[in-house]
Amino acid sequence: MLNKTLERNYEFRKRLLEVHKTDIRDYDILPQENEIEVNEEWEIVVYKESDRVILTAAKDLQDYFFTSMGLSLRLVRTDDIRGEAEKGFKKIVYITKGSVPELGEALDTPRSYRLIADEDRIILCGHDERGAAQASYYLEDLMNMKRAPIVKKRDEIRKPLFSPRMIHSGYGLDNFPDAHLNAIAHAGMDAILVFVKGVDTTPHGYQDFNELIYRAAAYGIDVYAYSYLKSLKHPEDKDAEEYYEKTYGRVFEKCPGFKGIVMVGESVEFPSKDPNTTGRLRLDKPEDGLPSGKPSPGWWPCIDYPQWLNLIKKIIRRHKEDADIVFWTYNWGYVDKEHRVELIRNLPTDITLLVTFEMFEQIQTDNVTSTCVDYTLFFEGPGKYFISEAEAAHERGIKLYTMCNTGGLTWDIGVIPYEPAPYQWMRRYEGLHIAREKWGLSGLMESHHFGWWPSFISELAKWSYWSPSPSGEEVLRMIAERDFGKEHIETVIEAWKAWSEGIRNYISTNEDQYGPFRIGPSYPLVLSGNVEIPTVPYAMFGGNTICNPVYQPRINGRSSLPQFRLPVELGRLNKMRECFRKGTELLEGIYDSLSDKRKQNAFYMINLGKFIVNCVTTAINVKQWYTLKTKLLTETDESKIIEYADKMIEIGEDEIKNAEATIPLVQADSRLGWEPSMEYMTDEYHLRWKIKQVKQTIEGVLPVYKNALKLNR
């Protein structure tokens, strides 16, 4: 394997800041018939009055040729952009439909573009400035696939199939340096999400929203506010309008550049009068101190949400007439269809409905029922919850978005950069396209706060979301050839198929996603009591906040009893581990034969595969530990107690080895073990903490437990 320099924590950000890969050109690749080659005689040309989006894209293309292809091209302004487009010689010319209408007359969709490449020129014509920029990024994509500044002659029109494509930061919570915005734009995404607690206030503290909006606009990116604003008034309260004017109204008054706002039940719940709810916020204590058995309003499709939305909409649109008001039904997908659809039938039609794509689906496996929790790739979707609400929205003419996580990551494993399961992602893309055709699905939320990492998965999504494009299988083979060489295509495809099958053997449960799969091999093995996972003071959800360190399967019906569930889950996880191990070993087998330029990317992919294998091992050990612990703590036969304790010690020893084997993986890739809202949970420090915790349990607590039995005989 590559002799990789160890990375300090957060050093992965250096890679995120490298939008263009260095020196990827293969000088042995020469232009063939019907191809043109860009050389240093060429110029990049923009109109003298081009706006920031085109200027930013043109400068980016200049950097691309210099950084990736070893070419220095002049960037020039012109008074005669029409003349350059029609007669320019060895020019790459940025234009829009507005500046040269006859070249853009077929462009009818925002961000669509026409790319013309012939012997003398390359024309990047956008429906608008954002379209011209996307044409520029597409030119890069074509040359990257070729691994040379060579492109086939073409006259091609392409349009985006979804907008917005919203993403959270993968650099740090609500943290968007210019290079990360640039990478987001290159990935075909056109909107970012930032958590908003007030004007210029995020969960991390101060942020200049207007400055972020300004910088993002240069890359053709809109900014959505994700509401963390308090909603303490019912819309019928006398002072409700005044109250919400000081919260929602003030945000849009001071920051009118926000494209819109995303509002989800748990973050915006208000004191609803719906009798099916408690009528108070989740954290408010009941006056009598007794549980009511009802959900709080954030977890129920309340009858007065339309009333509340109309008030919020009225206030926001005083300050921004065209604000996109996005209402997300994530929290009550578990509720029967009748109540959910009734809410949609009463929503205002000039807002947007956001529905999660795969959640709440009931999956039957070996007579055990699992429910898709937030968020998972093991079921591709769409789920029945999504379909029911998509149908209702379509009937009423309500604009429809979905939360689909196609940035490349879900909560299946909480501390990895992306899930390398392309065939399962392609099944999700297919479902999204069907939803677009059937119910008018138009926009996507592609991650939550676990963010986004540029990978071959996000490339695959980009190709799928533009028309026309090659099939997913064709794109995968193009990527495999580019990154591993033509001679290794079949091996790489086999590896990716194995990984894709692996994720289909995952079973989505809350106790796993908020347990061993949330943080992987740093997850502790607890015998009794609780432990506190080490954290840092600046983590929004650090330590135990969204990770329960004491594994406890939930009981919801007979099939959910641990004695029925755990054997099925263990069988599936063993298959999952074997699939990821197989894929990793296939890539390892070709590693030494790769060129030096290709080895680094392959190294990180192999390293990720090994880390996932170790995460699955932890989940298996945790379930076996729980099974034996339950027997140990209820057994009265001393010989059985000693037997169970000895087996638990063996599991603990195996898990220590697993954690030790994970240390070099996270040392080599500092993105492993990190998540934006939790910060580091599985770095070397946390792994050594876990090793210490398990050693104390198996070398101290369990032997004492056994010795106590002997003394009591």
Side-chain angles (χ1 to χ4, degrees), residues 244-461:
Y244 286 113
E245 178 61 42
K246 291 178 179 178
T247 54
Y248 287 87
R250 190 163 183 269
V251 166
F252 278 83
E253 176 193 9
K254 299 297 183 182
C255 309
F258 274 128
K259 176 70 173 178
I261 188 166
V262 175
M263 299 179 290
V264 63
E266 66 186 59
S267 296
V268 301
E269 62 176 353
F270 67 103
S272 170
K273 296 181 180 180
D274 192 314
N276 292 295
T277 75
T278 61
R280 61 178 181 273
L281 308 192
R282 179 174 63 92
L283 298 179
D284 291 347
K285 295 181 180 179
E287 292 182 6
D288 57 10
L290 300 175
S292 68
K294 297 179 179 180
S296 70
W299 279 261
W300 185 265
C302 302
I303 56 174
D304 39 9
Y305 262 120
Q307 190 180 6
W308 181 85
L309 274 169
N310 274 316
L311 176 59
I312 300 301
K313 178 188 70 174
K314 171 186 173 183
I315 289 169
I316 289 176
R317 287 185 176 157
R318 280 179 190 156
H319 306 286
K320 186 177 179 64
E321 187 177 349
D322 61 346
D324 190 7
I325 311 295
V326 183
F327 185 55
W328 188 7
T329 63
Y330 157 86
N331 286 100
W332 48 77
Y334 70 92
V335 177
D336 61 272
K337 177 180 176 181
E338 177 187 357
H339 285 93
R340 292 186 291 98
V341 171
E342 183 64 22
L343 170 60
I344 296 171
R345 288 182 180 139
N346 288 284
L347 289 176
T349 57
D350 58 347
I351 67 162
T352 301
L353 188 71
L354 176 63
V355 188
T356 311
F357 200 61
E358 83 287 352
M359 271 184 72
F360 303 107
E361 190 72 2
Q362 300 283 311
I363 306 292
Q364 189 80 10
T365 307
D366 298 333
N367 296 319
V368 169
T369 301
S370 299
T371 302
C372 289
V373 295
D374 58 339
Y375 305 96
T376 183
L377 186 58
F378 108 96
F379 169 60
E380 59 269 24
K384 295 181 181 65
Y385 143 68
F386 171 84
I387 293 172
S388 66
E389 299 200 357
E391 288 175 339
H394 186 57
E395 288 171 6
R396 297 205 62 230
I398 297 174
K399 187 161 57 174
L400 178 67
Y401 298 166
T402 189
M403 165 53 157
C404 57
N405 290 294
T406 50
L409 187 60
T410 70
W411 268 134
D412 289 330
I413 302 172
V415 288
I416 59 175
Y418 67 96
E419 289 175 78
Y423 286 88
Q424 186 68 346
W425 283 117
M426 287 194 290
R427 294 182 186 99
R428 178 155 297 177
Y429 308 152
E430 182 180 356
L432 292 168
H433 290 307
I434 291 171
R436 178 176 55 85
E437 294 165 1
K438 278 190 172 183
W439 306 299
L441 176 67
S442 60
L444 310 176
M445 180 186 283
E446 300 200 65
S447 84
H448 206 358
H449 53 69
F450 36 76
W452 168 75
W453 183 269
S455 70
F456 79 104
I457 297 299
S458 55
E459 277 191 89
L460 190 62

Side-chain angles (χ1 to χ4, degrees), residues 145-302:
M145 287 296 186
K146 188 72 174 178
R147 296 175 63 242
I150 295 170
V151 63
K152 285 184 179 179
K153 296 177 185 177
R154 65 185 65 223
D155 186 348
E156 185 176 9
I157 292 175
R158 302 181 83 224
K159 65 179 181 179
L161 300 177
F162 297 105
S163 182
R165 291 182 58 195
M166 299 182 279
I167 202 77
H168 282 272
S169 173
Y171 189 88
L173 201 65
D174 298 324
N175 193 341
F176 293 94
D178 282 355
H180 197 45
L181 291 170
N182 195 12
I184 289 168
H186 275 69
M189 298 160 185
D190 61 349
I192 58 174
L193 291 149
V194 60
F195 291 114
V196 174
K197 296 181 71 174
V199 175
D200 291 343
T201 306
T202 75
H204 268 213
Y206 173 79
Q207 181 168 144
D208 187 337
F209 291 152
N210 289 319
E211 187 269 348
L212 174 61
I213 292 166
Y214 174 78
R215 287 192 296 108
Y219 299 94
I221 294 172
D222 294 318
V223 184
Y224 278 77
Y226 185 110
S227 179
Y228 266 29
L229 298 164
K230 297 292 185 183
S231 301
L232 303 180
K233 298 290 182 179
H234 189 277
E236 293 178 355
D237 292 346
K238 289 183 179 180
D239 58 347
E241 187 164 342
E242 179 184 3
Y243 170 81
Y244 286 113
E245 178 61 42
K246 291 178 179 178
T247 54
Y248 287 87
R250 190 163 183 269
V251 166
F252 278 83
E253 176 193 9
K254 299 297 183 182
C255 309
F258 274 128
K259 176 70 173 178
I261 188 166
V262 175
M263 299 179 290
V264 63
E266 66 186 59
S267 296
V268 301
E269 62 176 353
F270 67 103
S272 170
K273 296 181 180 180
D274 192 314
N276 292 295
T277 75
T278 61
R280 61 178 181 273
L281 308 192
R282 179 174 63 92
L283 298 179
D284 291 347
K285 295 181 180 179
E287 292 182 6
D288 57 10
L290 300 175
S292 68
K294 297 179 179 180
S296 70
W299 279 261
W300 185 265
C302 302

Side-chain angles (χ1 to χ4, degrees), residues 14-25 44 56-71 94 133 136-141 143-144 178-187 219 454 462 600:
K14 293 180 181 178
R15 284 180 276 141
L16 280 181
L17 295 175
E18 294 176 352
V19 179
H20 301 133
K21 294 184 178 180
T22 304
D23 296 329
I24 65 171
R25 182 175 181 178
I44 299 170
T56 300
K59 292 175 184 177
D60 172 83
L61 186 64
Q62 184 183 42
D63 180 74
Y64 168 77
F65 279 113
F66 181 80
T67 302
S68 298
M69 296 296 165
L71 294 174
Y94 288 82
S136 182
Y137 306 146
Y138 180 54
L139 179 62
E140 290 184 26
D141 292 340
M143 291 182 175
N144 282 336
D178 282 355
H180 197 45
L181 291 170
N182 195 12
I184 289 168
H186 275 69
Y219 299 94
K462 178 183 177 179
Q600 186 175 61

